[in-house]
Amino acid sequence: MGSRRIGYAVFDLAVVGVLAALAVVCYVHIAGEAIAGRQMDKLHVGSNSIIVDREGHVIATMAVTDIGYREEAALSEMPKLLLDAFVATEDRRFYTHTGIDWIGILRSIRSNVMENRLSQGGSSITQQLARTVYLTNRKSFIRKLNEAGIAMALEKRFSKQQLLELYLNHIYFGRQQVGVKSAARRYFGISDLHQLQLWQIATLAAIPKAPSRYNPVDDYVKSKERRKVVLDLMHEQGLISQRQLLEAEAVDYVPPQPSSRSNRYAAYTDYVVREAVQLTGIAQDDLLTGGYTIVTGLDQSHQQTAEAAFADKRRFPKDGKDQIVQGSAVILDHRTGEIRAIVGGRDYTAGDYNRATRSSRQPGSAFKPIIVYGPALESGKFKANTIVPDKKTAYQSYRPENGGDRYRGAVTIAEAIRLSINSPAVWVLNQVGLASAIQFAGSLGVELDDQEASLAMALGGLHQGVSPLTMAQAYGAFANNGALVNAHAIRMIKDSHGRVIYEHPMTAKQVMSQGTAAAMTAMLRSVVETGTGKQAKLNGRWAAGKTGTTQLGLDGVTKKANRDLWFVGYTSELTAAVWMGFDQSNRDNYMRETSGIAARMFAAIMNGSR
């Protein structure tokens, strides 16, 4: 009786076991088909987009932080020995199994039992592809079932050659390199995979087992040891000769010179990405990894000159108690609107707050040409030699003051600009009218809302403020004979097939008469020659521009305490705006220097930008 009960129990357990196995098999097939079928788009590889300068030189290869750099390669771009090396190392029965290498799994189980630890995985190339594309590396029984199911589903949908191509394009090679082509470029400086030598192929095939340990940059010794393992496997399987093995084993690795992937000119490239997203509507991650070519107006000589000038701390005011004096600059070609250089801040790194394009600061007297004298000249009621009052005047509760409390009684508009006198500017704005002045500023790309409509605008007293990029664009219209070309970094965007998906329209809008622009340029040239902007003088060529200073304006702090220092100016070809100040000005962080120091920075930048 007892033996019968035992027999029944064994039978019941066997039935349960069979049912459980059938359930697992059903789950594997159903889940695998569902996951793979629902998310087929994940198999799209793509390549990192690149940014090129105005001469066509690559200045940056873009990457998503959690993905890295990737370049898609077709199977035809991969030499047979490269394919053989990965198959020999990762999955020697790849061409015969249907997604799961049962022999490899049984061998790995035996090894794990003998070593009493989980040291062998037994995953096929197809399973590794499934895990990389659809799953995570977190070890669990369900994940292994999903991995197996997806692998079998992929085997039904793709040929072995297609699977191998997908694998070699998706696998991670350490150092933010995804795909064999990206890895070859990073570790060997090689973009044509057919130029890879045997030792390089073996080095690449060695990496996927432990990318951070076996890549040659992070640990050359371990990389070389693992390379030997790969070469031994290739020799064992008859892929290479003993002589080839020994020669490839002996080569020492020498890292290549840094490439354009170091993403130079971070402030400029950050702005390019933002602009590209706005222009195309493509999501940022898709834009960065879609294989796009973004052609810009960057001039590397201008950018390098500007960055070198900003790297010299002697060109800046004294730092505050707990902050450094910041600064930013923009250089653009006012004839085309193309931005030639951007400095987003001192020691700017990728992703920082870009003070040149996003920061809104009060422009001080640098705003006078835009909001006062430009609209005054354009109205036809004022000329450079028009005499205007320079005396203390109250406009209801607003009582502007001249620097040094000095009043001359009357001056010409040209003299008021040259010496940056406040009282005449407010008087002229009052005569022109706030609505007309705001409309004129808007035509230059300086959008002002209703809360800005006060006479304080004459002295750059704004609630929202303006960026250096906005100021440079506005002054560019004066430089360009009254025609405004919208400032932009991007000339053209091409997709991964070379098709143009965006091209900047080369259009200019006449926003003022040529006479107004010429008169303004003549007056702004006098500012540099004999006025407040003398420190902006250039070597061997003329410059026009305007200084701007805003005071800290806190009770109990010296009246010489300043918040913002500006110089905006131009030559016949380029317009530039320079700003200096603290990110957060307060009693402990302010500047005693005047805008002459910003004018000197303008000269340092422009003297090297021809």
Side-chain angles (χ1 to χ4, degrees), residues 272-346:
V272 167
V273 171
R274 290 185 63 233
E275 187 176 281
V277 170
Q278 293 170 356
L279 291 173
T280 64
I282 299 172
Q284 181 167 311
D285 284 3
D286 294 335
L287 184 72
L288 298 183
T289 59
Y292 297 96
T293 298
I294 305 175
V295 183
T296 72
L298 176 78
D299 187 305
Q300 293 197 53
S301 66
H302 296 352
Q303 183 72 37
Q304 290 167 6
T305 296
E307 290 184 1
F310 268 71
D312 186 350
K313 65 180 181 181
R314 295 171 299 179
R315 299 188 185 278
F316 284 86
K318 182 181 178 182
D319 291 335
K321 183 177 180 179
D322 51 27
Q323 296 182 51
I324 66 167
V325 177
Q326 270 298 345
S328 60
V330 172
I331 303 175
L332 61 82
D333 184 334
H334 47 253
R335 300 164 300 181
T336 64
E338 289 184 346
I339 301 172
R340 295 285 182 249
I342 296 175
V343 180
R346 298 172 73 181

Side-chain angles (χ1 to χ4, degrees), residues 491-555:
R491 283 184 184 177
M492 181 189 301
I493 301 176
K494 299 177 183 179
D495 67 13
S496 59
H497 301 290
R499 295 174 300 207
V500 176
I501 65 168
Y502 170 82
E503 188 168 10
H504 185 82
M506 292 304 297
T507 57
K509 182 180 181 182
Q510 198 70 33
V511 294
M512 69 184 85
S513 69
Q514 292 187 16
T516 294
M520 183 63 69
T521 294
M523 291 190 291
L524 293 178
R525 286 183 67 171
S526 73
V527 171
V528 175
E529 290 164 3
T530 60
T532 59
K534 286 185 290 186
Q535 295 183 75
K537 286 183 179 180
L538 304 181
N539 299 328
R541 56 181 174 155
W542 64 265
K546 184 72 185 73
T547 53
T549 303
T550 64
Q551 293 181 316
L552 181 64
L554 292 178
D555 293 337

Side-chain angles (χ1 to χ4, degrees), residues 400-408 419-423 551:
E401 296 180 353
N402 284 348
D405 204 31
R406 180 187 176 188
Y407 299 87
R408 298 160 183 80
L419 299 177
S420 196
I421 308 171
N422 290 338
S423 179
Q551 293 181 316

Side-chain angles (χ1 to χ4, degrees), residues 24-263:
V24 168
V25 171
C26 289
Y27 174 84
V28 166
H29 281 279
I30 293 172
E33 287 288 344
I35 295 172
R38 190 170 58 247
Q39 303 179 54
M40 288 296 290
D41 59 314
K42 285 190 172 184
L43 287 170
H44 172 69
V45 179
S47 298
N48 291 98
S49 298
I50 60 172
I51 298 176
V52 303
D53 68 7
R54 62 194 297 254
E55 303 293 338
H57 303 300
V58 177
I59 59 169
T61 302
M62 311 310 294
V64 179
T65 303
D66 59 351
I67 296 178
Y69 298 100
R70 65 193 317 162
E71 291 183 70
E72 185 175 10
L75 199 68
S76 60
E77 296 179 63
M78 306 177 192
K80 184 177 184 302
L81 193 59
L82 176 71
L83 306 179
D84 291 342
F86 278 89
V87 171
T89 306
E90 296 294 324
D91 186 1
R92 69 193 324 180
R93 280 172 289 277
F94 171 70
Y95 292 107
T96 58
H97 63 62
T98 57
I100 302 174
D101 181 7
W102 295 109
I103 296 175
I105 289 175
L106 291 174
R107 190 190 326 110
S108 68
I109 291 173
R110 184 184 64 183
S111 297
N112 291 334
V113 170
M114 292 179 63
E115 297 177 19
N116 197 28
R117 62 189 179 94
L118 294 176
S119 61
Q120 300 288 333
S123 293
S124 69
I125 279 177
T126 318
Q127 285 177 274
Q128 292 181 52
L129 174 63
R131 180 170 64 247
T132 300
V133 175
Y134 296 103
L135 305 170
T136 68
N137 286 320
R138 186 173 62 86
K139 293 182 179 180
S140 71
F141 181 66
I142 294 298
R143 194 217 72 184
K144 291 299 291 184
L145 292 180
N146 288 337
E147 180 185 297
I150 296 169
M152 289 189 289
L154 292 176
E155 290 273 351
K156 293 178 182 177
R157 286 174 166 81
F158 300 100
S159 69
K160 290 292 185 178
Q161 288 72 26
Q162 290 173 320
L163 289 171
L164 192 54
E165 178 181 312
L166 287 168
Y167 170 79
L168 288 171
N169 277 307
H170 276 288
I171 203 71
Y172 183 60
F173 284 86
R175 285 273 162 171
Q176 288 193 290
Q177 308 305 313
V178 179
V180 68
K181 187 172 183 178
S182 182
R185 186 189 295 273
R186 171 62 182 85
Y187 297 125
F188 308 117
I190 291 175
S191 56
D192 181 354
L193 298 179
H194 285 284
Q195 293 181 2
L196 289 170
Q197 299 176 38
L198 174 58
W199 73 271
Q200 294 169 326
I201 287 174
T203 300
L204 291 172
I207 297 174
K209 182 177 178 64
S212 62
R213 185 187 312 160
Y214 292 135
N215 80 72
V217 171
D218 284 331
D219 195 327
Y220 169 65
V221 174
K222 283 188 171 61
S223 170
K224 193 173 184 180
E225 290 174 353
R226 177 67 180 168
R227 184 209 307 173
K228 184 180 185 308
V229 172
V230 173
L231 291 168
D232 287 341
L233 288 170
M234 295 178 72
H235 178 256
E236 175 188 314
Q237 296 174 44
L239 299 172
I240 59 174
S241 67
Q242 180 69 23
R243 179 180 176 181
Q244 288 177 302
L245 183 155
L246 294 175
E247 289 176 349
E249 180 186 335
V251 179
D252 286 323
Y253 174 73
V254 178
Q257 293 296 317
S259 70
S260 59
R261 293 184 176 198
S262 58
N263 285 11

